[in-house]
Amino acid sequence: MCGIVGAVALGSDITPILVEGLQRLEYRGYDSCGIALHMDGALRRTRSTSRVADLKALVSRDALAGSTGIAHTRWATHGAPATHNAHPHFSGRPGGQPRIALVHNGIIENHEALREELRGAGYVFESQTDTEVIAHLLDHLYNDDLFDALQRAVRRLQGAYAIAAFCRDEPHRVVGARNGSPLVVGTSESANYLASDALALAGTTDQILYLEDGDVVDLQVGRVWVVDSEGRAADRPVHTVPAFTAAAELGPYRHYMQKEIFEQPRAVADTLQDLDTISPELFGDAAYKVFQETQRVLILACGTSYYAGMTAKYWIEALAGLPTAVEIASEYRYRTSVPDPSTLVVTISQSGETADTLAALKHARRQGMENTLTICNVASSAMVRECKLGFITRAGVEIGVASTKAFTTQLTALFLLALTLAQSRGKLDDAAEAEHLKALRHLPSAIQATLALEPHIIGWADTFARRENALFLGRGMHYPIALEGALKLKEISYIHAEGYPAGELKHGPLALVTEQMPVVTVAPNDTLLEKLKSNLQEVRARGGQLYVFSDTATRIANEPGVHVIQMPGDYGMLSPIVHVVPLQLLAYHTACARGTDVDKPRNLAKSVTVE
Ligand code: G6P
């Protein structure tokens, strides 16, 4: 979602760094953007409801330059995506020149009460945003020390925020604060930076400090000073993050999504890390005890991560015999459920910052379920900090909004969890463990072989690009894969797509089947294959066009109305991880054929840090 970059430098113009930082944050999703600089003793800004490239052109047209500034990409929550709502917001004494420039990620829950109070103090609001409230509050509390004013301002805020601000009267200072929304500090000899994601600073600095909730930071050249929520000096260690520059480069690929699909063999191999034995320690030091206590599993997640959880339910129940519930985080957090302290609560999140998943986790803990585990791709995230146990997937930075390599690495980690829980319950003997490990080690090459199907899939994509609806069918553990295939297609090509368990076809969706409705089917050779074949007959009998991903043993032949791509092998229980890959490619090439913005689909955000 929204992105922040801020910088204070020794004399040099930081405008290119701010703009480039915004470009690196574009992947998070946004609908407007803006930049403000300290220039000739005044605040100057430009904002755009178009892309960062447009903002860059405006910056150069207006010859904006300065050594202190902040920039932002906004994903609208309060107020439409319009220029007057775009950040940075300015404030100053009523009737006077602007004095404060501020950007914000998150949501301020008490913005209405504060707005009334500040209106009473004479401030005039130009936007519908909750952010402008913070800018005026900061100005209201300002008494020649911006850092002090921000510390006092955040005490009045309820909700989630990451803030960056600077002041006309203190030209060599940028301040920031975080609570519930990510914010990092980048340091170098000649400048210091703020960003909502270390990736924004790739190529600028690899020296990163992660702020914690409640922190307020003062940046000047040669000085980074952090205080915690109690106002005490806080020592936040500097981490070196060398891998970021490479992650941000597109290389020979047309889009990040394509790059990330092709990175999956490597990402899965890195996640497995030469694993030669299954043991609870894979999930943390306390895992042995926690797994012994576990009587049931509750998985909480959103979006693609939720579909990974749905797949895991099949594995955990089949291998470990533990009852497993999977819930959409935004639903679970608000419903009355029946807590059981012997539950292992598992959150799944690529970013580790998804607001609903974090809130659902806290809700579960408040209900007495303290045994928590996260499968997460970001080791420094709030999710990892909040959970007792964790497994870090090693997908690397994922930039395309539509999740691909994060999903397959989550599935890999979840299969390891199912095996480990089975072992803890005495349900995994040595021979079975060796067999599963062998299959896991083969997984990267199985995915690699599947990627070679790309030319066939491009052939199908041309047809899909001319349709407005599609159905995706699967059975058993491939039902969540059908859901994920449909989600991928709708997210990036804007074709309406639905995933269904094939057995449900005649309970509704069959009414939609015509020649214009392609029906994609995930059809591996498993125990449900014969049932699935009957379901496919139901589609064919009504003139529906079938697009089937079978495998070597499935024996479904190409014939008029039945288009088959044969997967290179038979992958047993790991089949969902391999079968999702051609569905990712189908969505990707269909979107390319339709000419959509694949990596930044309209209205969507990569990291959903608000409710
Ligand atoms: C957004 C992203 C999805 C992602 C979901 C959950 O909707 O666009 O790709 O699956 O959030 O995100 P998380 O970071 O918690 O996995």
Side-chain angles (χ1 to χ4, degrees):
M1 274 185 157
C2 310
I4 291 176
V5 200
V8 55
L10 197 65
S12 58
D13 176 20
I14 44 87
T15 318
I17 288 175
L18 295 182
V19 172
E20 196 180 306
L22 288 190
Q23 280 169 329
R24 291 190 191 281
L25 291 178
E26 282 190 290
Y27 80 98
R28 293 175 73 106
Y30 69 105
D31 39 43
S32 59
C33 48
I35 184 169
L37 294 150
H38 198 283
M39 203 175 157
D40 305 327
L43 301 185
R44 293 280 304 277
R45 81 177 154 192
T46 185
R47 297 178 288 180
S48 165
T49 52
S50 183
R51 295 272 135 192
V52 176
D54 179 62
L55 183 77
K56 189 176 178 179
L58 294 175
V59 164
S60 123
R61 185 198 68 189
D62 299 344
L64 287 189
S67 55
T68 301
I70 54 179
H72 190 257
T73 48
R74 172 175 188 252
W75 192 86
T77 57
H78 294 65
T83 308
H84 69 280
N85 284 327
H87 306 200
H89 287 282
F90 281 176
S91 180
R93 283 281 177 265
Q97 289 296 311
R99 181 165 66 170
I100 302 287
L102 181 139
V103 295
H104 156 236
N105 290 354
I107 288 181
I108 302 303
E109 285 159 9
N110 59 336
H111 70 101
E112 279 169 3
L114 288 170
R115 190 186 311 262
E116 282 318 303
E117 182 184 326
L118 290 158
R119 274 206 182 108
Y123 286 96
V124 176
F125 284 80
E126 293 176 355
S127 77
Q128 287 80 47
T129 64
D130 49 344
T131 303
E132 195 182 358
V133 169
I134 319 174
H136 290 320
L137 179 65
L138 192 56
D139 186 77
H140 190 50
L141 297 173
Y142 183 69
N143 196 3
D144 296 332
D145 184 343
L146 189 65
F147 185 52
D148 172 69
L150 185 60
Q151 288 179 73
R152 286 187 290 130
V154 295
R155 280 184 219 129
R156 303 281 324 273
L157 303 179
Q158 289 162 18
Y161 52 80
I163 295 168
F166 70 98
C167 176
R168 182 196 61 203
D169 301 341
E170 296 180 78
H172 306 298
R173 184 179 225 186
V174 168
V175 296
R178 86 157 266 180
N179 190 46
S181 295
L183 192 65
V184 305
V185 174
T187 68
S188 75
E189 272 183 22
S190 57
N192 285 318
Y193 309 91
L194 273 179
S196 50
D197 183 333
L199 188 67
L201 304 176
T204 299
T205 179
D206 60 0
Q207 300 296 294
I208 302 291
L209 285 78
Y210 294 93
L211 296 179
E212 295 188 5
D213 280 347
D215 283 356
V216 184
V217 62
D218 182 13
L219 296 186
Q220 299 175 34
V221 178
R223 174 186 152 98
V224 174
W225 181 249
V226 184
V227 296
D228 65 16
S229 54
E230 305 294 322
R232 293 175 302 224
D235 189 17
R236 305 290 173 231
V238 179
H239 300 262
T240 304
V241 284
F244 277 142
T245 311
E249 303 310 331
L250 200 47
Y253 296 98
R254 217 172 131 192
H255 298 99
Y256 285 108
M257 182 178 176
Q258 187 187 27
K259 176 182 183 227
E260 288 157 6
I261 290 172
F262 277 82
E263 279 173 351
Q264 290 179 109
R266 199 256 326 130
V268 167
D270 287 355
T271 297
L272 289 168
Q273 287 191 80
D274 300 328
L275 187 77
D276 53 14
T277 179
I278 295 294
S279 81
E281 283 70 40
L282 286 171
F283 298 89
D285 294 343
Y288 178 80
K289 181 167 175 290
V290 168
F291 291 171
Q292 291 299 321
E293 291 166 4
T294 297
Q295 295 300 322
R296 53 186 61 244
V297 177
L298 169 63
I299 301 179
L300 303 169
C302 303
T304 290
S305 298
Y306 170 69
Y307 295 147
M310 282 181 74
T311 315
K313 175 183 165 80
Y314 289 88
W315 289 333
I316 295 171
E317 295 202 339
L319 291 166
L322 281 169
T324 302
V326 192
E327 292 217 33
I328 291 175
S330 56
E331 287 295 314
Y332 172 76
R333 63 182 286 197
Y334 288 120
R335 79 178 181 86
T336 308
S337 51
V338 185
D340 175 347
S342 70
T343 304
L344 174 65
V345 177
V346 179
T347 60
I348 309 171
S349 178
Q350 185 282 126
S351 62
E353 304 287 350
T354 301
D356 280 321
T357 311
L358 276 170
L361 169 67
K362 287 177 188 161
H363 179 69
R365 288 181 61 189
R366 273 197 303 276
Q367 305 212 61
M369 295 188 283
E370 280 297 335
N371 283 344
T372 57
L373 182 155
T374 189
I375 309 276
C376 187
N377 197 39
V378 181
S380 59
S381 64
M383 203 76 72
V384 175
R385 285 197 301 272
E386 293 272 340
C387 284
K388 196 184 270 186
L389 307 177
F391 185 100
I392 307 302
T393 49
R394 289 187 161 68
V397 178
E398 188 179 69
I399 291 180
V401 164
S403 187
T404 53
K405 61 177 181 169
F407 182 66
T408 42
T409 55
Q410 285 168 348
L411 289 175
T412 306
L414 286 161
F415 192 75
L416 290 175
L417 177 64
L419 292 178
T420 313
L421 289 170
Q423 186 189 58
S424 301
R425 293 169 60 79
K427 286 176 178 282
L428 187 75
D429 61 29
D430 290 351
E433 178 183 341
E435 191 80 359
H436 287 303
L437 284 174
K438 191 171 154 210
L440 278 167
R441 274 187 224 109
H442 178 62
L443 196 50
S445 56
I447 296 173
Q448 192 70 53
T450 308
L451 290 168
L453 298 174
E454 190 181 34
H456 301 280
I457 295 168
I458 293 172
W460 285 9
D462 282 342
T463 308
F464 277 69
R466 285 180 268 115
R467 301 284 177 266
E468 289 309 321
N469 300 285
L471 269 181
F472 285 70
L473 303 178
R475 290 198 74 131
M477 59 186 174
H478 295 93
Y479 162 47
I481 298 307
L483 288 168
E484 172 63 5
L487 177 66
K488 287 289 86 91
L489 189 71
K490 84 180 95 172
E491 277 182 310
I492 59 169
S493 74
Y494 314 146
I495 292 171
H496 170 231
E498 286 192 64
Y500 258 95
E504 276 290 292
L505 201 53
K506 52 174 117 26
H507 299 293
L510 204 51
L512 299 171
V513 170
T514 67
E515 275 201 359
Q516 293 305 307
M517 168 82 94
V519 180
V520 180
T521 309
V522 185
N525 179 33
D526 62 13
T527 51
L528 289 170
L529 180 63
E530 291 312 316
K531 306 261 176 228
L532 184 71
K533 281 181 176 171
S534 312
N535 302 141
L536 301 189
Q537 288 307 323
E538 294 159 11
V539 174
R540 272 309 294 139
R542 281 142 191 101
Q545 297 288 308
L546 285 166
Y547 293 83
V548 184
F549 290 100
S550 71
D551 64 27
T552 33
T554 305
R555 286 199 295 274
I556 297 178
N558 269 302
E559 56 178 275
V562 184
H563 314 267
V564 181
I565 288 182
Q566 204 171 66
M567 301 284 284
D570 173 355
Y571 313 103
M573 285 195 97
L574 295 175
S575 171
I577 308 181
V578 189
H579 266 271
V580 76
V581 174
L583 302 187
Q584 297 167 344
L585 286 169
L586 180 62
Y588 172 71
H589 286 291
T590 304
C592 288
R594 284 169 76 102
T596 57
D597 192 348
V598 173
D599 286 330
K600 297 181 282 280
R602 68 184 179 208
N603 306 339
L604 298 182
K606 179 75 187 159
S607 209
V608 183
T609 49
V610 297
E611 203 182 325

